[in-house]
Amino acid sequence: MLKNIIKKLIAYIFRPEYKFAKRGDKCFIGSNCIINSASIELGNHVSIGPNAVLYCIYKKIIFGNNVLLGPNVTMVNGDHNMRKIGVPIIDNNEKEASDDADIIIEDDVWIGANVTILKGVTVGRGAVIAAGAVVTRSIPPYCVSGGIPAHVLNIRFTIEQVKQHEGILYSEKDRMKDGQLQHLASFATK
């Protein structure tokens, strides 16, 4: 038992120092993460759980404020070029513009354990991604999503609750507008 405690203490003390493109206040990075951090932007109060894998080479991964990632979350914002005839994928280092795209995680988002998010995805403000989901398309604000591939299961709050939540957290100019709220209402299950 003492050996395990010492091992964890050493791992904590000597954990890697990440150099992010931007790092806000109160950010926490869990243990055993694999992060290519030079193209990652963290807002304020971002918590990345243990064993996260965040890969980005040519594009960015951008986190808003108040974002929570559970353990074992993977984000990959690029693909290999698999269209070149006569060249094995492992040897093809040529990229096309469509091979990579930013991943954007907006404010107030919770991403559960073992979630995978792929290139070009935006997770809207206030959204929740259920554990184990594979997110291949953007998720609207305040939607709860899950599955493989991830799809909207319901909305997090009623529209009145969204208005109340936004009224507390955001200035009037930054709150969702009526058209956005009406669109959000279309995701509510009966």
Side-chain angles (χ1 to χ4, degrees), residues 21-32:
K22 175 187 166 206
R23 185 174 183 158
D25 295 329
K26 296 182 182 176
C27 293
F28 171 79
I29 311 299
S31 60
N32 300 317

Side-chain angles (χ1 to χ4, degrees), residues 38-55:
S39 297
I40 297 174
E41 298 179 8
L42 302 178
N44 295 318
H45 202 211
V46 174
S47 179
I48 298 173
N51 305 308
V53 177
L54 308 180
Y55 281 139

Side-chain angles (χ1 to χ4, degrees), residues 9-41:
L9 183 60
I10 289 170
Y12 180 79
I13 292 170
F14 294 106
R15 66 186 188 172
E17 184 59 37
Y18 302 104
K19 303 243 188 263
F20 294 97
K22 175 187 166 206
R23 185 174 183 158
D25 295 329
K26 296 182 182 176
C27 293
F28 171 79
I29 311 299
S31 60
N32 300 317
C33 293
I34 299 171
I35 300 176
N36 175 353
S37 57
S39 297
I40 297 174
E41 298 179 8

Side-chain angles (χ1 to χ4, degrees), residues 103-168:
I103 294 173
I104 300 170
I105 310 299
E106 295 183 349
D107 296 344
D108 188 28
V109 168
W110 175 24
I111 299 171
N114 301 304
V115 168
T116 298
I117 299 177
L118 300 179
K119 71 175 186 176
V121 166
T122 295
V123 178
R125 174 164 78 197
V128 175
I129 310 296
V134 176
V135 186
T136 60
R137 283 179 267 154
S138 293
I139 304 298
Y142 294 103
C143 286
V144 177
S145 299
I148 302 173
H151 59 280
V152 173
L153 303 170
N154 206 339
I155 60 174
R156 181 174 161 194
F157 300 124
T158 66
I159 298 305
E160 285 306 312
Q161 290 171 326
V162 170
K163 288 181 184 179
Q164 183 181 6
H165 186 75
E166 293 254 318
I168 295 168

